[in-house]
């Protein structure tokens, strides 16, 4: 078995003395693991850092085997991202999100999104909204997508202000007013057609509360795993950067 | 394959093969060498391992391993109490001591934060670090952590954690290694080296 693809490094673990177990998000083959012989060498260690893009060739005798990667760097961003705490925490958040996907299940759309986000992670103004949208995309891919296009009660597409914490459907300001305490605020930048607006700190925090609620409800709690601690650190770093 | 030695020797080979740098073949050679040098090597090694097993403790102050608590580093009166060098692992402490680059005290974290591996702040020796810094006397904390994503994530976390103490927090420079050729360096390392260039 053999294929070639491009991928973004999600994580690396030591394997024996000189090898590394590499976890990639690939364009055509989804989240995929493989062994990199010599992966702990001085030449390979800078390449095998989370956030870098690589071209890979995967080989194995049988498809179900772990297999081995041959890796060539195509974009080495890790050293640039290391200068920004928000970027490093963001890498942790993205890695944890990608790990929610089953192995070897292709998600080319998510790969494209991930590539855009890791390129922008050291820009806190862009990184926050992009990661929120990636969380929404992960929920969508896992079958728990939110419907933020129209009001669940009236069908209107304007003035959407809330999201039902049970159904994940948007509710307009008029229809949701009487139940506002029980609904989750919908930040304006997540409305369809308004994606170009950059959110302020309050909107960003509300957006992370929104996606965090549904990730907990549909993903973390059913799987019996806690939400990654790094998510709170990422949001704190973004808000701190916004205040500077 | 049928065993060609008794179970005791097989067990010795199996245990040696678990050591870093040794595989089954080299473990077999090492075991045979030990057996041949029984008086000069095997008996003293067995005794040294037994004594180490009995006496080695983790220093309750810094997290180093030694045969006494506090460790030699923490007891040494010639060391500078004002400088605290934070390292990931005992092997990093040993590397810095070999290089003789700092006369400060050390603090071993015991790992780095890793969201993917589920290593959080509670899993590291961070509470004692904060206590050592806040009890006074420390003027600079040097974060001698690996230039990896996990190492630098930990460095930023420790910096945030110590921000309210008013202590100067520094980290090791990133850049061109000795013997390194610019042509082979990644763009990020080159950019970091340029940012941290020094006047000659």
């Amino acid at each position: 078995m053999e294929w070639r693809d491009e991928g973004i490094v999600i994580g690396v673990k030591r394997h024996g003395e000189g090898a590394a177990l590499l976890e990639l998000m690939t364009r055509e083959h989804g989240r995929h693991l493989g062994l990199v012989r010599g992966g702990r060498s001085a030449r390979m260690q800078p390449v095998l850092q989370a956030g870098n893009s690589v071209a890979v060739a995967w080989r194995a005798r049988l498809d179900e085997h772990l297999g081995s990667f041959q890796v060539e760097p195509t974009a080495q961003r890790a050293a640039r991202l290391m200068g920004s705490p928000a970027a490093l925490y963001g890498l942790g958040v993205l890695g944890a999100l990608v790990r929610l996907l089953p192995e070897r299940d292709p998600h080319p759309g998510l790969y494209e999104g991930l590539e855009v986000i890791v390129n922008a992670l050291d820009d806190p103004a862009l990184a926050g909204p992009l990661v929120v949208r990636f969380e929404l995309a992960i929920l969508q891919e896992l079958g728990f997508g939110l419907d933020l296009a129209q009001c669940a009660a009236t069908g209107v597409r304007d003035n959407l202000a809330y999201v039902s914490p049970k159904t994940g459907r948007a509710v307009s300001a008029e229809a949701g007013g009487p139940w506002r305490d029980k609904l989750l605020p919908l930040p304006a930048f997540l409305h369809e057609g308004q994606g170009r607006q950059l959110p302020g700190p309050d909107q960003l925090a509300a957006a992370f509360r929104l996606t965090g609620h549904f990730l907990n409800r549909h993903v973390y709690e059913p799987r019996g795993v806690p939400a990654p601690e790094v998510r709170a650190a990422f949001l704190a770093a973004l808000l701190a950067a916004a205040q500077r | 394959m049928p065993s060609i030695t008794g179970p005791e020797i097989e067990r010795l080979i199996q245990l040696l093969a678990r050591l870093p740098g040794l595989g089954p073949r080299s473990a077999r050679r090492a075991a045979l060498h030990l057996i041949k040098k029984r008086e000069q090597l095997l008996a003293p090694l067995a005794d040294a391992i037994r004594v180490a097993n009995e006496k080695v403790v983790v220093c309750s102050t810094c997290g180093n391993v030694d045969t006494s608590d506090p460790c030699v580093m923490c007891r040494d009166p010639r060391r500078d109490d004002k400088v605290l060098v934070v390292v990931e692992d005992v092997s990093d402490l040993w590397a810095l001591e070999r290089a003789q680059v700092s006369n400060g005290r050390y603090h071993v974290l015991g790992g780095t934060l890793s969201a993917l591996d589920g290593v959080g702040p509670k899993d590291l020796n961070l509470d004692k670090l904060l206590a050592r810094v806040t009890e006074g006397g420390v003027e600079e904390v040097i974060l001698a952590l690996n230039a990896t994503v996990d190492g630098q994530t930990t460095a930023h976390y420790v910096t945030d954690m110590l921000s309210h103490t008013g202590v100067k927090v520094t980290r090791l420079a990133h850049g061109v290694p000795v013997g390194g050729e610019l042509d082979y360096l990644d763009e990020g390392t080159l950019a970091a080296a340029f940012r941290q260039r020094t006047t000659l």
Side-chain angles (χ1 to χ4, degrees), chain B residues 26-199:
Chain B
S26 47
R28 200 166 284 280
R29 287 179 61 204
L32 194 58
H33 186 72
L34 286 170
I35 291 163
K36 283 181 179 172
K37 305 268 182 184
R38 194 166 177 166
E39 292 305 316
Q40 303 100 308
L41 211 52
L42 182 60
L45 180 66
D47 195 45
I49 289 173
R50 184 185 55 75
V51 171
N53 183 41
E54 286 169 2
K55 293 198 171 176
V56 167
V57 289
V58 175
C59 176
S60 57
T61 306
C62 72
N64 188 17
V65 289
D66 203 348
T67 51
S68 60
D69 184 12
C71 67
V72 170
M73 300 285 176
C74 293
R75 285 201 317 268
D76 189 347
R78 293 166 298 176
R79 289 200 165 262
D80 187 355
D81 290 324
K82 294 175 189 160
V83 177
L84 192 58
V85 184
V86 177
V87 293
E88 177 186 332
D89 197 67
V90 176
S91 60
D92 300 326
L93 186 159
W94 289 355
L96 289 172
E97 277 301 292
R98 280 200 306 274
Q100 297 183 333
V101 287
S102 173
N103 191 38
R105 303 279 180 198
Y106 285 97
H107 191 86
V108 182
L109 292 180
T112 51
L113 298 174
S114 173
L116 293 183
D117 296 328
V119 181
K122 294 184 189 77
D123 302 308
L124 303 182
N125 192 14
L126 288 170
D127 291 343
K128 281 182 189 163
L129 172 63
L130 185 59
R132 287 179 82 180
V133 173
T134 49
E135 74 186 13
V138 176
E139 292 180 2
E140 181 179 4
V141 173
I142 302 172
L143 300 174
L145 299 170
N146 292 335
T148 60
V149 166
D150 286 347
Q152 293 309 300
T153 303
T154 310
H156 285 298
Y157 184 88
V158 173
T159 306
D160 287 345
M161 187 183 80
L162 299 178
S163 59
H164 71 281
T165 63
V167 172
K168 181 182 175 186
V169 181
T170 57
R171 70 160 168 83
L172 302 188
H174 297 168
V176 184
V178 174
E181 295 176 31
L182 298 188
D183 192 25
Y184 285 92
L185 287 182
D186 65 279
E187 301 84 355
T189 305
L190 273 175
F194 257 82
R195 279 197 303 273
Q196 295 164 35
R197 67 187 182 276
T198 54
T199 307

Side-chain angles (χ1 to χ4, degrees), chain A residues 198-214:
Chain A
L198 286 178
D202 292 343
Q203 287 217 336
L204 197 58
F208 273 97
R209 266 199 305 279
L210 178 71
T211 49
H213 170 82
F214 289 102

